[in-house]
Amino acid sequence: MSAPDDAEHAAPHGAHGRPLTRGQKWAAYKDSPYFPATVLVFILAAAAGLFAGSYTYAMANPTPHRIPAAVVSRPATESGKEFVAAMDKALDASLDIHVFATGAQARQALEEQEVFAIMRAGDRGVSLDVASASGAAVAQLLAESAVKVGAETGEPVAVRDIKPLQRGDPRGLALFYISLAAVIIGFVGAIQLSVHARALIPLERIVFTIGYSLLGGFAIAAVVDWWLGAVDLPFFESWMILAFTMFTSGMVFSMFNTLMGRWAMIPTWGVMVLLGNPSSGGAVSWPLLPSVLGHIGRWLPPGASVNAQHTAVYYQGHQRIFPYLVLGAWAVVSCTVFWVWRHRHPGGRDHMPQHAATAT
């Protein structure tokens, strides 16, 4: 009797013994941890390629598209006009000429970052004033082109850098790197809050984002200025710009986390890193960027941060409100979306925990 019983127990019964259908296997796979892990494998591979591609596209072959330059019209000479025309030709017709009656007016335009160079023609030749602080690559391109054009036209050329970069920032990249650090640590901090402090309610999450932004911005500025001495920062202003950048970046992730859940890193990385950082003008000044990136970058948080920091360090007294409006707009929109749809955010906790009823 035992052998038949064993055989009966070994044989499959009813629905439990049927092989799973493709639909059932797919449903089980989607509910397993293997599905998001597999998706992440492909997302990370694509992100790696896009990351390299975005920076290479923006920086591998900088080409002038539109370089604003001032020309002092008095005195105007035929040789001076020929030199300007030859410069424009050498730069593939990319010069955007602004004519000023006096050198003082032209210098004011340069201080306001409306032009990148000043050209004057006189009896002793042509003088070209460049501003490395407005973009080291642009200043170098203008200087090299002027020397070449001067040799071709027989016109003596005197090149002078009237806005040099600081000694610890010879290529003008230090400000780009500190802004990049603020952007990345900003949204990484928000990710870590979501992982390790998941129970924070919305107001608490915003407060802690402000907290790590203030401390993180202070740490970046202190290390670069006080410890390394690489750049002489207007400390409080630079600190506040970095903190503002970190907070905005963190809230951008919180917004996307509210809207997209666990896949929030995809749009955050796309906006802030793949698109925002290469187009910020920090590594390559906007006149040398592809024209689309040159226009988009100013409207994104990384570009606004670089612009505000750049002006604070090298053009003190000529700060513009536009970069702060861009950072503020992104921060306000992100906070508003996060707050209005806070019930969709994966974090938070119950305000009224349930307790077991007391027996009477």
Side-chain angles (χ1 to χ4, degrees), residues 203-227:
L203 182 59
E204 294 169 342
R205 192 172 298 275
I206 292 173
V207 169
F208 276 93
T209 302
I210 293 172
Y212 76 67
S213 297
L214 288 171
L215 287 177
F218 180 87
I220 294 172
V223 167
V224 171
D225 189 346
W226 296 347
W227 185 12

PDB file of all heavy atoms in Angstrom, residues 203-227:
ATOM      1  N   LEU A 203       7.464  68.884   5.059  1.00  0.00           N
ATOM      2  CA  LEU A 203       8.087  70.075   5.610  1.00  0.00           C
ATOM      3  C   LEU A 203       9.455  69.747   6.205  1.00  0.00           C
ATOM      4  O   LEU A 203      10.419  70.496   6.022  1.00  0.00           O
ATOM      5  CB  LEU A 203       7.192  70.704   6.677  1.00  0.00           C
ATOM      6  CG  LEU A 203       7.723  71.997   7.315  1.00  0.00           C
ATOM      7  CD1 LEU A 203       7.952  73.072   6.249  1.00  0.00           C
ATOM      8  CD2 LEU A 203       6.750  72.505   8.384  1.00  0.00           C
ATOM      9  N   GLU A 204       9.549  68.622   6.890  1.00  0.00           N
ATOM     10  CA  GLU A 204      10.835  68.202   7.457  1.00  0.00           C
ATOM     11  C   GLU A 204      11.856  67.931   6.356  1.00  0.00           C
ATOM     12  O   GLU A 204      13.034  68.282   6.482  1.00  0.00           O
ATOM     13  CB  GLU A 204      10.641  66.947   8.316  1.00  0.00           C
ATOM     14  CG  GLU A 204       9.803  67.175   9.563  1.00  0.00           C
ATOM     15  CD  GLU A 204       9.413  65.880  10.243  1.00  0.00           C
ATOM     16  OE1 GLU A 204       9.492  64.808   9.603  1.00  0.00           O
ATOM     17  OE2 GLU A 204       9.013  65.941  11.423  1.00  0.00           O
ATOM     18  N   ARG A 205      11.402  67.345   5.261  1.00  0.00           N
ATOM     19  CA  ARG A 205      12.313  67.057   4.146  1.00  0.00           C
ATOM     20  C   ARG A 205      12.872  68.349   3.551  1.00  0.00           C
ATOM     21  O   ARG A 205      14.057  68.452   3.234  1.00  0.00           O
ATOM     22  CB  ARG A 205      11.582  66.238   3.080  1.00  0.00           C
ATOM     23  CG  ARG A 205      12.482  65.624   2.016  1.00  0.00           C
ATOM     24  CD  ARG A 205      11.663  64.689   1.131  1.00  0.00           C
ATOM     25  NE  ARG A 205      11.108  63.589   1.887  1.00  0.00           N
ATOM     26  CZ  ARG A 205      11.764  62.460   2.161  1.00  0.00           C
ATOM     27  NH1 ARG A 205      12.995  62.302   1.725  1.00  0.00           N
ATOM     28  NH2 ARG A 205      11.183  61.514   2.867  1.00  0.00           N
ATOM     29  N   ILE A 206      12.033  69.359   3.404  1.00  0.00           N
ATOM     30  CA  ILE A 206      12.493  70.652   2.881  1.00  0.00           C
ATOM     31  C   ILE A 206      13.482  71.288   3.853  1.00  0.00           C
ATOM     32  O   ILE A 206      14.520  71.828   3.444  1.00  0.00           O
ATOM     33  CB  ILE A 206      11.291  71.574   2.628  1.00  0.00           C
ATOM     34  CG1 ILE A 206      10.436  71.045   1.463  1.00  0.00           C
ATOM     35  CG2 ILE A 206      11.756  73.002   2.310  1.00  0.00           C
ATOM     36  CD1 ILE A 206       9.145  71.802   1.242  1.00  0.00           C
ATOM     37  N   VAL A 207      13.174  71.230   5.160  1.00  0.00           N
ATOM     38  CA  VAL A 207      14.064  71.828   6.166  1.00  0.00           C
ATOM     39  C   VAL A 207      15.429  71.158   6.151  1.00  0.00           C
ATOM     40  O   VAL A 207      16.471  71.830   6.189  1.00  0.00           O
ATOM     41  CB  VAL A 207      13.418  71.744   7.566  1.00  0.00           C
ATOM     42  CG1 VAL A 207      14.435  72.121   8.642  1.00  0.00           C
ATOM     43  CG2 VAL A 207      12.206  72.659   7.655  1.00  0.00           C
ATOM     44  N   PHE A 208      15.472  69.835   6.086  1.00  0.00           N
ATOM     45  CA  PHE A 208      16.757  69.139   6.069  1.00  0.00           C
ATOM     46  C   PHE A 208      17.500  69.375   4.748  1.00  0.00           C
ATOM     47  O   PHE A 208      18.736  69.389   4.729  1.00  0.00           O
ATOM     48  CB  PHE A 208      16.565  67.648   6.322  1.00  0.00           C
ATOM     49  CG  PHE A 208      16.479  67.297   7.788  1.00  0.00           C
ATOM     50  CD1 PHE A 208      15.255  67.211   8.422  1.00  0.00           C
ATOM     51  CD2 PHE A 208      17.635  67.094   8.526  1.00  0.00           C
ATOM     52  CE1 PHE A 208      15.170  66.917   9.772  1.00  0.00           C
ATOM     53  CE2 PHE A 208      17.565  66.797   9.877  1.00  0.00           C
ATOM     54  CZ  PHE A 208      16.336  66.701  10.519  1.00  0.00           C
ATOM     55  N   THR A 209      16.772  69.579   3.658  1.00  0.00           N
ATOM     56  CA  THR A 209      17.426  69.933   2.392  1.00  0.00           C
ATOM     57  C   THR A 209      18.097  71.296   2.514  1.00  0.00           C
ATOM     58  O   THR A 209      19.225  71.496   2.045  1.00  0.00           O
ATOM     59  CB  THR A 209      16.408  69.935   1.237  1.00  0.00           C
ATOM     60  OG1 THR A 209      15.787  68.659   1.139  1.00  0.00           O
ATOM     61  CG2 THR A 209      17.095  70.249  -0.089  1.00  0.00           C
ATOM     62  N   ILE A 210      17.410  72.245   3.160  1.00  0.00           N
ATOM     63  CA  ILE A 210      18.022  73.552   3.416  1.00  0.00           C
ATOM     64  C   ILE A 210      19.259  73.389   4.293  1.00  0.00           C
ATOM     65  O   ILE A 210      20.303  74.015   4.047  1.00  0.00           O
ATOM     66  CB  ILE A 210      17.006  74.492   4.094  1.00  0.00           C
ATOM     67  CG1 ILE A 210      15.868  74.831   3.131  1.00  0.00           C
ATOM     68  CG2 ILE A 210      17.687  75.777   4.572  1.00  0.00           C
ATOM     69  CD1 ILE A 210      14.729  75.606   3.780  1.00  0.00           C
ATOM     70  N   GLY A 211      19.167  72.522   5.302  1.00  0.00           N
ATOM     71  CA  GLY A 211      20.286  72.325   6.223  1.00  0.00           C
ATOM     72  C   GLY A 211      21.535  71.797   5.538  1.00  0.00           C
ATOM     73  O   GLY A 211      22.627  72.374   5.688  1.00  0.00           O
ATOM     74  N   TYR A 212      21.411  70.708   4.758  1.00  0.00           N
ATOM     75  CA  TYR A 212      22.620  70.177   4.125  1.00  0.00           C
ATOM     76  C   TYR A 212      23.107  71.094   3.002  1.00  0.00           C
ATOM     77  O   TYR A 212      24.300  71.098   2.669  1.00  0.00           O
ATOM     78  CB  TYR A 212      22.440  68.724   3.667  1.00  0.00           C
ATOM     79  CG  TYR A 212      21.645  68.473   2.412  1.00  0.00           C
ATOM     80  CD1 TYR A 212      22.098  68.877   1.154  1.00  0.00           C
ATOM     81  CD2 TYR A 212      20.469  67.730   2.453  1.00  0.00           C
ATOM     82  CE1 TYR A 212      21.388  68.604   0.003  1.00  0.00           C
ATOM     83  CE2 TYR A 212      19.742  67.447   1.304  1.00  0.00           C
ATOM     84  CZ  TYR A 212      20.216  67.882   0.079  1.00  0.00           C
ATOM     85  OH  TYR A 212      19.519  67.600  -1.068  1.00  0.00           O
ATOM     86  N   SER A 213      22.199  71.911   2.429  1.00  0.00           N
ATOM     87  CA  SER A 213      22.626  72.855   1.402  1.00  0.00           C
ATOM     88  C   SER A 213      23.493  73.962   2.003  1.00  0.00           C
ATOM     89  O   SER A 213      24.534  74.326   1.438  1.00  0.00           O
ATOM     90  CB  SER A 213      21.408  73.459   0.704  1.00  0.00           C
ATOM     91  OG  SER A 213      20.657  72.472   0.036  1.00  0.00           O
ATOM     92  N   LEU A 214      23.070  74.495   3.141  1.00  0.00           N
ATOM     93  CA  LEU A 214      23.855  75.540   3.800  1.00  0.00           C
ATOM     94  C   LEU A 214      25.215  75.014   4.247  1.00  0.00           C
ATOM     95  O   LEU A 214      26.253  75.655   4.024  1.00  0.00           O
ATOM     96  CB  LEU A 214      23.081  76.104   4.983  1.00  0.00           C
ATOM     97  CG  LEU A 214      21.877  76.991   4.649  1.00  0.00           C
ATOM     98  CD1 LEU A 214      21.070  77.291   5.894  1.00  0.00           C
ATOM     99  CD2 LEU A 214      22.343  78.294   3.985  1.00  0.00           C
ATOM    100  N   LEU A 215      25.234  73.850   4.876  1.00  0.00           N
ATOM    101  CA  LEU A 215      26.511  73.294   5.342  1.00  0.00           C
ATOM    102  C   LEU A 215      27.379  72.854   4.168  1.00  0.00           C
ATOM    103  O   LEU A 215      28.599  73.051   4.175  1.00  0.00           O
ATOM    104  CB  LEU A 215      26.251  72.113   6.276  1.00  0.00           C
ATOM    105  CG  LEU A 215      25.724  72.469   7.666  1.00  0.00           C
ATOM    106  CD1 LEU A 215      25.435  71.194   8.459  1.00  0.00           C
ATOM    107  CD2 LEU A 215      26.725  73.329   8.416  1.00  0.00           C
ATOM    108  N   GLY A 216      26.762  72.257   3.149  1.00  0.00           N
ATOM    109  CA  GLY A 216      27.528  71.810   1.986  1.00  0.00           C
ATOM    110  C   GLY A 216      28.118  72.966   1.210  1.00  0.00           C
ATOM    111  O   GLY A 216      29.281  72.921   0.790  1.00  0.00           O
ATOM    112  N   GLY A 217      27.332  74.036   1.016  1.00  0.00           N
ATOM    113  CA  GLY A 217      27.856  75.213   0.331  1.00  0.00           C
ATOM    114  C   GLY A 217      29.003  75.844   1.094  1.00  0.00           C
ATOM    115  O   GLY A 217      30.003  76.268   0.498  1.00  0.00           O
ATOM    116  N   PHE A 218      28.874  75.903   2.413  1.00  0.00           N
ATOM    117  CA  PHE A 218      29.959  76.441   3.240  1.00  0.00           C
ATOM    118  C   PHE A 218      31.215  75.583   3.104  1.00  0.00           C
ATOM    119  O   PHE A 218      32.328  76.109   2.963  1.00  0.00           O
ATOM    120  CB  PHE A 218      29.521  76.498   4.704  1.00  0.00           C
ATOM    121  CG  PHE A 218      30.575  77.036   5.634  1.00  0.00           C
ATOM    122  CD1 PHE A 218      30.694  78.402   5.848  1.00  0.00           C
ATOM    123  CD2 PHE A 218      31.458  76.182   6.285  1.00  0.00           C
ATOM    124  CE1 PHE A 218      31.675  78.911   6.697  1.00  0.00           C
ATOM    125  CE2 PHE A 218      32.431  76.669   7.128  1.00  0.00           C
ATOM    126  CZ  PHE A 218      32.543  78.046   7.339  1.00  0.00           C
ATOM    127  N   ALA A 219      31.051  74.255   3.120  1.00  0.00           N
ATOM    128  CA  ALA A 219      32.199  73.360   3.030  1.00  0.00           C
ATOM    129  C   ALA A 219      32.923  73.517   1.697  1.00  0.00           C
ATOM    130  O   ALA A 219      34.167  73.557   1.649  1.00  0.00           O
ATOM    131  CB  ALA A 219      31.742  71.912   3.216  1.00  0.00           C
ATOM    132  N   ILE A 220      32.172  73.614   0.595  1.00  0.00           N
ATOM    133  CA  ILE A 220      32.800  73.777  -0.721  1.00  0.00           C
ATOM    134  C   ILE A 220      33.603  75.071  -0.775  1.00  0.00           C
ATOM    135  O   ILE A 220      34.770  75.094  -1.188  1.00  0.00           O
ATOM    136  CB  ILE A 220      31.725  73.759  -1.832  1.00  0.00           C
ATOM    137  CG1 ILE A 220      31.061  72.389  -1.919  1.00  0.00           C
ATOM    138  CG2 ILE A 220      32.353  74.120  -3.185  1.00  0.00           C
ATOM    139  CD1 ILE A 220      29.857  72.352  -2.857  1.00  0.00           C
ATOM    140  N   ALA A 221      32.980  76.165  -0.361  1.00  0.00           N
ATOM    141  CA  ALA A 221      33.653  77.465  -0.408  1.00  0.00           C
ATOM    142  C   ALA A 221      34.872  77.496   0.511  1.00  0.00           C
ATOM    143  O   ALA A 221      35.919  78.036   0.147  1.00  0.00           O
ATOM    144  CB  ALA A 221      32.671  78.575  -0.033  1.00  0.00           C
ATOM    145  N   ALA A 222      34.745  76.913   1.696  1.00  0.00           N
ATOM    146  CA  ALA A 222      35.854  76.931   2.653  1.00  0.00           C
ATOM    147  C   ALA A 222      37.040  76.124   2.148  1.00  0.00           C
ATOM    148  O   ALA A 222      38.201  76.543   2.282  1.00  0.00           O
ATOM    149  CB  ALA A 222      35.381  76.387   4.005  1.00  0.00           C
ATOM    150  N   VAL A 223      36.776  74.965   1.565  1.00  0.00           N
ATOM    151  CA  VAL A 223      37.879  74.127   1.060  1.00  0.00           C
ATOM    152  C   VAL A 223      38.590  74.818  -0.091  1.00  0.00           C
ATOM    153  O   VAL A 223      39.824  74.882  -0.136  1.00  0.00           O
ATOM    154  CB  VAL A 223      37.339  72.745   0.624  1.00  0.00           C
ATOM    155  CG1 VAL A 223      38.391  71.992  -0.186  1.00  0.00           C
ATOM    156  CG2 VAL A 223      36.933  71.924   1.843  1.00  0.00           C
ATOM    157  N   VAL A 224      37.841  75.356  -1.053  1.00  0.00           N
ATOM    158  CA  VAL A 224      38.441  75.962  -2.244  1.00  0.00           C
ATOM    159  C   VAL A 224      39.177  77.252  -1.913  1.00  0.00           C
ATOM    160  O   VAL A 224      40.271  77.501  -2.434  1.00  0.00           O
ATOM    161  CB  VAL A 224      37.345  76.219  -3.307  1.00  0.00           C
ATOM    162  CG1 VAL A 224      37.894  77.047  -4.464  1.00  0.00           C
ATOM    163  CG2 VAL A 224      36.795  74.899  -3.833  1.00  0.00           C
ATOM    164  N   ASP A 225      38.614  78.052  -1.025  1.00  0.00           N
ATOM    165  CA  ASP A 225      39.198  79.358  -0.702  1.00  0.00           C
ATOM    166  C   ASP A 225      40.156  79.274   0.475  1.00  0.00           C
ATOM    167  O   ASP A 225      41.358  79.517   0.340  1.00  0.00           O
ATOM    168  CB  ASP A 225      38.071  80.350  -0.415  1.00  0.00           C
ATOM    169  CG  ASP A 225      38.574  81.788  -0.288  1.00  0.00           C
ATOM    170  OD1 ASP A 225      39.793  81.991  -0.162  1.00  0.00           O
ATOM    171  OD2 ASP A 225      37.745  82.711  -0.307  1.00  0.00           O
ATOM    172  N   TRP A 226      39.678  78.898   1.638  1.00  0.00           N
ATOM    173  CA  TRP A 226      40.492  78.954   2.853  1.00  0.00           C
ATOM    174  C   TRP A 226      41.558  77.865   2.911  1.00  0.00           C
ATOM    175  O   TRP A 226      42.684  78.112   3.323  1.00  0.00           O
ATOM    176  CB  TRP A 226      39.597  78.841   4.081  1.00  0.00           C
ATOM    177  CG  TRP A 226      38.637  79.977   4.221  1.00  0.00           C
ATOM    178  CD1 TRP A 226      38.654  81.171   3.528  1.00  0.00           C
ATOM    179  CD2 TRP A 226      37.503  80.045   5.097  1.00  0.00           C
ATOM    180  NE1 TRP A 226      37.602  81.966   3.923  1.00  0.00           N
ATOM    181  CE2 TRP A 226      36.883  81.320   4.882  1.00  0.00           C
ATOM    182  CE3 TRP A 226      36.951  79.186   6.034  1.00  0.00           C
ATOM    183  CZ2 TRP A 226      35.749  81.706   5.578  1.00  0.00           C
ATOM    184  CZ3 TRP A 226      35.816  79.571   6.727  1.00  0.00           C
ATOM    185  CH2 TRP A 226      35.228  80.824   6.508  1.00  0.00           C
ATOM    186  N   TRP A 227      41.192  76.643   2.526  1.00  0.00           N
ATOM    187  CA  TRP A 227      42.136  75.526   2.676  1.00  0.00           C
ATOM    188  C   TRP A 227      43.107  75.467   1.498  1.00  0.00           C
ATOM    189  O   TRP A 227      44.323  75.531   1.678  1.00  0.00           O
ATOM    190  CB  TRP A 227      41.360  74.214   2.813  1.00  0.00           C
ATOM    191  CG  TRP A 227      42.230  73.014   3.085  1.00  0.00           C
ATOM    192  CD1 TRP A 227      43.555  73.020   3.442  1.00  0.00           C
ATOM    193  CD2 TRP A 227      41.837  71.646   3.023  1.00  0.00           C
ATOM    194  NE1 TRP A 227      44.010  71.732   3.604  1.00  0.00           N
ATOM    195  CE2 TRP A 227      42.970  70.865   3.359  1.00  0.00           C
ATOM    196  CE3 TRP A 227      40.637  71.008   2.735  1.00  0.00           C
ATOM    197  CZ2 TRP A 227      42.926  69.460   3.392  1.00  0.00           C
ATOM    198  CZ3 TRP A 227      40.603  69.613   2.787  1.00  0.00           C
ATOM    199  CH2 TRP A 227      41.731  68.863   3.109  1.00  0.00           C
TER     200      TRP A 227
END
